[in-house]
Amino acid sequence: METIDQSRATFRDMQDSTAEDWKIIGKEFKAYAAALPDRVLAHLRLLDGDCGGFPVDRLTHSLQTATRAYRDGRDEEYVVCALLHDIGDTLGSFNHPDIAAAIVKPFVSPEYHAIVEKHGIFQGYYFFHHLGMDRNLRDQFADASFYDATLEFCEKYDAPAFDPDYETLPLEFFEPMLRRVMAKPKNTIYKSAVD
């Protein structure tokens, strides 16, 4: 006779799930969600040592972008966005901003989310023309509410963050910030379930 594991839902097709199943899943999800910052930090560490031809490795670039934003007095959500803006490089080589934007979306303002989501196109102003591309692709967003903020993000924090001599703060400095920002989502369809 098969033993039923009481710590797991019993449905084989989600349309047959029950409230009891979702209590089990919800209990497990709480611990899983609480560990999200650990998984994000582990993924950031994958960028360490990966230069991809750039003057600094991808982790240093991310840390340097966040350091510049922090030293400029930006709030924690903004600094965390700066830290995570290129986290998608390893899994989304052709759409890394989309990956990063999806990660930060539940935790930051719509404007900050848009900055992360669109920064690749805006950053392209500095190099697309070297690749035979239109460096002014960002102009398609000229009337968007996030346009000026994204221009500023790229100009002040992202574009200059390839300096091997810049005194960059370590990942450990940003960890408490990341944990605070990711402690409670505010922009998610699951908000009522999380509350």
Side-chain angles (χ1 to χ4, degrees):
M1 180 173 194
E2 185 178 334
T3 327
I4 297 175
D5 183 349
Q6 297 295 319
S7 67
R8 293 172 68 182
T10 58
F11 62 87
R12 293 174 186 243
D13 185 324
M14 194 174 281
Q15 64 185 327
D16 299 326
S17 65
T18 65
E20 189 58 37
D21 287 328
W22 286 99
K23 283 180 189 174
I24 293 167
I25 293 166
K27 182 181 173 192
E28 293 295 319
F29 179 76
K30 196 171 191 176
Y32 188 73
L36 176 61
D38 297 320
R39 293 190 301 278
V40 169
L41 288 164
H43 199 83
L44 267 175
R45 288 184 185 100
L46 293 176
L47 303 176
D48 190 15
D50 179 5
C51 289
F54 289 99
V56 298
D57 67 42
R58 295 176 198 278
L59 177 59
T60 299
H61 169 68
S62 296
L63 292 169
Q64 198 170 118
T65 305
T67 300
R68 290 172 183 278
Y70 172 77
R71 288 184 177 150
D72 200 30
R74 296 299 182 152
D75 65 42
E76 286 193 348
E77 281 186 17
Y78 193 101
V79 172
V80 167
C81 285
L83 178 67
L84 300 182
H85 79 285
D86 280 349
I87 195 170
D89 278 350
T90 58
L91 296 173
S93 300
F94 299 99
N95 67 332
H96 79 275
D98 298 324
I99 305 293
I103 292 169
V104 302
K105 184 177 182 177
F107 306 104
V108 302
S109 72
E111 180 182 65
Y112 292 177
H113 171 257
I115 290 169
V116 174
E117 183 179 49
K118 302 300 184 202
H119 84 272
I121 292 170
F122 282 67
Q123 184 80 327
Y125 177 79
Y126 302 108
F127 70 92
F128 280 175
H129 56 293
H130 298 306
L131 303 174
M133 297 171 62
D134 179 4
R135 73 186 303 195
N136 295 306
L137 282 177
R138 67 188 189 178
D139 291 350
Q140 67 187 295
F141 301 109
D143 295 328
S145 61
F146 57 81
Y147 184 81
D148 289 336
T150 310
L151 279 178
E152 181 182 52
F153 173 79
C154 290
E155 181 181 329
K156 291 178 81 172
Y157 310 121
D158 195 6
F162 295 93
D163 183 352
D165 298 321
Y166 184 79
E167 289 187 35
T168 304
L169 293 167
L171 184 56
E172 294 73 27
F173 178 85
F174 297 104
E175 183 176 340
M177 252 182 255
L178 176 80
R179 290 186 184 284
R180 284 190 293 271
V181 168
M182 292 189 150
K184 190 166 186 184
K186 57 185 179 183
N187 302 313
T188 174
I189 61 170
Y190 302 109
K191 183 151 177 45
S192 63
V194 171
D195 291 341

